[in-house]
Amino acid sequence: MILGIGTDLANIDRIAGTLDRFGDRFRNRVFTPTEQAKAEARHDTPGTYAKRWAAKEACSKALGTGLRMGIAWKDMAVSNLHTGQPVMAVTGWARERLDQMTPPGHEAIIHVTLTDDHPWAQAFVVIEARRIA
């Protein structure tokens, strides 16, 4: 069963400008060390950050809150499987919210997909509840 769906569109040039203006203050407020390492190792650093920004926005929408009610940027973190597939992990208040949304006898799975076509980065997040066998 689908518990939540979220999407977001981020402007890569806007994120690049924010990185130029605020640098580490912005990076450290929004992105985990793992996300920062991934972005800084990429040729398109602003695009990588923009996709992760969009994923966090999309995840907050799928959780039914948006970025309010105590959710923190770093409560949602994007990493990649060895295949390159992006995955979303949640901690803190985002984890609490996910646990509240998940019916008894089910486990929550967060699906995320990312794409970009300069100047846009886009993310979709679907939260699924699967019955525990």
Coordinates of all heavy atoms in Angstrom, one line a residue, residues 1-5 62-63 95 98 101-103 106-112 125-131:
M1 N 0.8 -1.2 0.0 CA 0.0 0.0 0.0 C 0.9 1.2 0.0 O 2.0 1.2 0.6 CB -1.0 -0.1 1.2 CG -0.6 0.9 2.3 SD -1.7 0.7 3.8 CE -1.8 -1.0 4.1
I2 N 0.4 2.3 -0.7 CA 1.2 3.5 -0.7 C 0.8 4.4 0.5 O -0.4 4.7 0.7 CB 0.9 4.3 -2.1 CG1 1.2 3.4 -3.3 CG2 1.6 5.6 -2.1 CD1 2.6 3.0 -3.4
L3 N 1.8 4.8 1.2 CA 1.6 5.7 2.4 C 1.8 7.2 2.0 O 1.2 8.0 2.7 CB 2.6 5.3 3.5 CG 2.5 3.9 4.0 CD1 3.5 3.7 5.1 CD2 1.1 3.7 4.6
G4 N 2.6 7.4 1.0 CA 2.9 8.8 0.7 C 3.6 9.0 -0.6 O 4.4 8.1 -1.0
I5 N 3.4 10.1 -1.3 CA 4.1 10.4 -2.6 C 4.5 11.8 -2.5 O 3.8 12.7 -2.0 CB 3.2 10.2 -3.8 CG1 2.7 8.8 -3.9 CG2 3.9 10.6 -5.1 CD1 1.6 8.5 -4.9
A62 N 6.2 13.4 1.0 CA 5.7 12.1 1.1 C 5.4 11.7 2.6 O 4.5 10.9 2.8 CB 6.7 11.1 0.5
L63 N 6.1 12.3 3.5 CA 5.9 12.1 4.9 C 4.6 12.8 5.4 O 4.2 12.6 6.5 CB 7.1 12.4 5.7 CG 8.3 11.5 5.6 CD1 9.5 12.2 6.3 CD2 8.0 10.2 6.3
R95 N 12.1 9.7 11.0 CA 11.9 8.3 11.3 C 10.7 8.1 12.2 O 9.9 7.2 12.0 CB 13.2 7.7 12.0 CG 13.0 6.4 12.6 CD 12.4 5.3 11.8 NE 13.3 4.9 10.6 CZ 12.9 4.1 9.7 NH1 11.7 3.5 9.7 NH2 13.7 3.8 8.7
L98 N 7.6 8.4 10.0 CA 7.5 7.3 9.2 C 6.9 6.1 10.0 O 6.0 5.4 9.5 CB 8.8 6.9 8.5 CG 8.8 5.7 7.6 CD1 7.9 5.9 6.4 CD2 10.2 5.3 7.2
M101 N 3.2 6.5 10.5 CA 2.5 6.3 9.3 C 2.3 4.8 8.9 O 1.4 4.5 8.2 CB 3.1 7.0 8.1 CG 3.2 8.5 8.1 SD 4.3 9.1 6.8 CE 3.5 8.5 5.3
T102 N 3.2 4.0 9.4 CA 3.3 2.6 9.0 C 2.3 1.8 9.8 O 2.4 1.7 11.0 CB 4.7 2.1 9.2 OG1 5.6 3.0 8.5 CG2 4.8 0.7 8.6
P103 N 1.4 1.1 9.2 CA 0.4 0.3 9.9 C 1.1 -0.9 10.6 O 2.1 -1.4 10.1 CB -0.5 -0.2 8.8 CG -0.3 0.6 7.6 CD 1.1 1.1 7.7
H106 N 3.4 -4.1 9.1 CA 3.9 -3.7 7.9 C 5.3 -3.1 8.1 O 5.6 -2.6 9.2 CB 3.1 -2.6 7.2 CG 1.8 -3.2 6.7 ND1 0.7 -3.5 7.5 CD2 1.4 -3.4 5.4 CE1 -0.3 -3.9 6.8 NE2 0.1 -3.9 5.5
E107 N 6.1 -3.1 7.0 CA 7.4 -2.4 7.1 C 7.3 -1.3 6.0 O 6.7 -1.5 5.0 CB 8.6 -3.3 6.8 CG 8.5 -3.9 5.4 CD 9.8 -4.8 5.1 OE1 10.8 -4.6 5.8 OE2 9.6 -5.7 4.3
A108 N 7.9 -0.1 6.3 CA 8.0 1.0 5.3 C 9.2 0.9 4.4 O 10.3 0.6 4.9 CB 7.9 2.3 6.0
I109 N 9.0 1.1 3.1 CA 10.1 1.1 2.2 C 10.0 2.5 1.4 O 8.9 2.8 1.0 CB 10.0 0.0 1.2 CG1 10.2 -1.3 1.9 CG2 11.0 0.1 0.1 CD1 9.2 -2.4 1.6
I110 N 11.1 3.2 1.4 CA 11.1 4.5 0.7 C 11.8 4.3 -0.6 O 12.9 3.9 -0.7 CB 11.9 5.5 1.5 CG1 11.2 5.7 2.9 CG2 11.9 6.9 0.8 CD1 12.0 6.6 3.8
H111 N 11.0 4.6 -1.7 CA 11.6 4.5 -3.1 C 11.9 5.9 -3.5 O 11.1 6.8 -3.3 CB 10.5 3.9 -4.0 CG 10.0 2.6 -3.6 ND1 10.7 1.4 -3.9 CD2 8.9 2.2 -2.9 CE1 10.0 0.4 -3.5 NE2 8.9 0.8 -2.9
V112 N 13.0 6.1 -4.1 CA 13.4 7.5 -4.6 C 14.1 7.3 -5.9 O 14.8 6.4 -6.2 CB 14.4 8.2 -3.6 CG1 15.7 7.4 -3.4 CG2 14.7 9.6 -4.0
V125 N 9.6 10.6 -4.6 CA 9.7 9.7 -3.5 C 8.3 9.1 -3.3 O 7.3 9.7 -3.3 CB 10.1 10.4 -2.2 CG1 9.9 9.5 -1.0 CG2 11.5 10.9 -2.3
V126 N 8.3 7.7 -3.2 CA 7.1 7.0 -2.9 C 7.4 6.2 -1.6 O 8.4 5.5 -1.6 CB 6.7 6.0 -4.0 CG1 5.5 5.2 -3.6 CG2 6.4 6.8 -5.3
I127 N 6.5 6.3 -0.6 CA 6.7 5.5 0.6 C 5.6 4.4 0.5 O 4.4 4.6 0.4 CB 6.5 6.3 1.9 CG1 7.5 7.5 1.9 CG2 6.6 5.5 3.1 CD1 7.4 8.4 3.0
E128 N 6.1 3.2 0.6 CA 5.3 2.0 0.5 C 5.3 1.2 1.8 O 6.3 1.2 2.5 CB 5.9 1.1 -0.6 CG 5.2 -0.3 -0.7 CD 6.0 -1.2 -1.6 OE1 7.1 -1.0 -2.0 OE2 5.4 -2.3 -1.9
A129 N 4.1 0.7 2.2 CA 4.0 -0.2 3.3 C 3.8 -1.6 2.8 O 2.9 -1.9 2.1 CB 2.9 0.2 4.2
R130 N 4.8 -2.5 3.2 CA 4.6 -4.0 2.8 C 4.4 -4.8 4.0 O 5.0 -4.6 5.1 CB 5.9 -4.5 2.2 CG 6.2 -4.0 0.8 CD 7.4 -4.7 0.2 NE 7.8 -4.0 -1.0 CZ 9.0 -4.1 -1.5 NH1 9.9 -4.9 -1.0 NH2 9.3 -3.4 -2.6
R131 N 3.4 -5.7 3.9 CA 3.1 -6.6 5.0 C 4.3 -7.5 5.3 O 5.0 -8.0 4.4 CB 1.9 -7.5 4.6 CG 1.4 -8.4 5.7 CD 0.1 -9.0 5.5 NE -1.0 -8.1 5.3 CZ -1.6 -7.5 6.2 NH1 -1.3 -7.7 7.5 NH2 -2.7 -6.7 6.0

